[in-house]
Amino acid sequence: MQPEEKINILGGPLQLCSSKPVTGFFRDGHCNTCTEDRGSHTVCAVMTAEFLAFSKYVGNDLSTSRPEFGFVGLKAGDSWCLCASRFLQAHEEGCAPKVNLAATHRNALIIVALDILKQHERTTK
C-alpha cells in the first residue's frame, strides 16, 4: 500500500493529527490515505462527548477500549482520523466534531465540501 501525497485541504503539508492515541489508516498519526482506504480516514477530528455518543448510536463505537485490536478507546478532546462520510453524516445531524484543517488530508474534499470543513474548524489546541 502506497500512501497518497501528504497534502492537507489547505494545500500545505499534512500535519500530525494524533500520536496519543495513534491514529490514521496507516497508524502513523497522520490522516494519510490510499486506494485501499475504503473508508477515507482523512478528517482529523477532535472528539466531543456528543459526537462519540452519535458514532456509537450509528454503529461505530469509538469510546470503548478494544485491547485485542490495540485500541484504547477515545474520549472527548482526543484527535482521530475520522472517515469523511461519517464526518459528513455527523454534520448533517448537527453533531460534527471540530476539525484540524492542517491535519485533514485533501482527499477528504472528495466527500466533504471545504466550506463545511471550515465551519467546524478547531480554533484552539
Side-chain angles (χ1 to χ4, degrees):
M1 292 186 292
Q2 285 291 63
E4 301 271 338
E5 191 174 6
K6 298 173 183 179
I7 304 294
N8 67 36
I9 62 172
L10 304 173
L14 187 65
Q15 302 298 307
L16 179 71
C17 181
S18 176
S19 59
K20 290 185 181 178
V22 176
T23 189
F25 182 75
F26 292 96
R27 289 299 187 262
D28 62 0
H30 294 80
C31 296
N32 295 315
T33 191
C34 63
T35 55
E36 291 83 5
D37 178 12
R38 305 242 186 260
S40 187
H41 296 79
T42 52
V43 177
C44 181
V46 182
M47 299 294 103
T48 63
E50 181 183 28
F51 173 76
L52 289 168
F54 167 76
S55 189
K56 186 174 185 177
Y57 175 75
V58 296
N60 187 22
D61 182 1
L62 295 172
S63 55
T64 301
S65 177
R66 297 291 306 265
E68 66 273 25
F69 299 118
F71 182 68
V72 298
L74 302 176
K75 61 185 180 318
D78 287 342
S79 292
W80 192 250
C81 293
L82 192 60
C83 292
S85 59
R86 178 69 76 213
F87 174 83
L88 184 58
Q89 181 185 23
H91 165 76
E92 291 168 349
E93 294 295 328
C95 59
K98 292 295 183 186
V99 175
N100 178 340
L101 300 179
T104 295
H105 195 280
R106 70 176 173 188
N107 281 16
L109 298 174
I110 295 168
I111 297 169
V112 185
L114 181 59
D115 65 317
I116 291 174
L117 290 163
K118 284 185 171 182
Q119 286 176 35
H120 301 283
E121 181 176 7
R122 179 191 69 181
T123 55
T124 62
K125 288 199 177 213

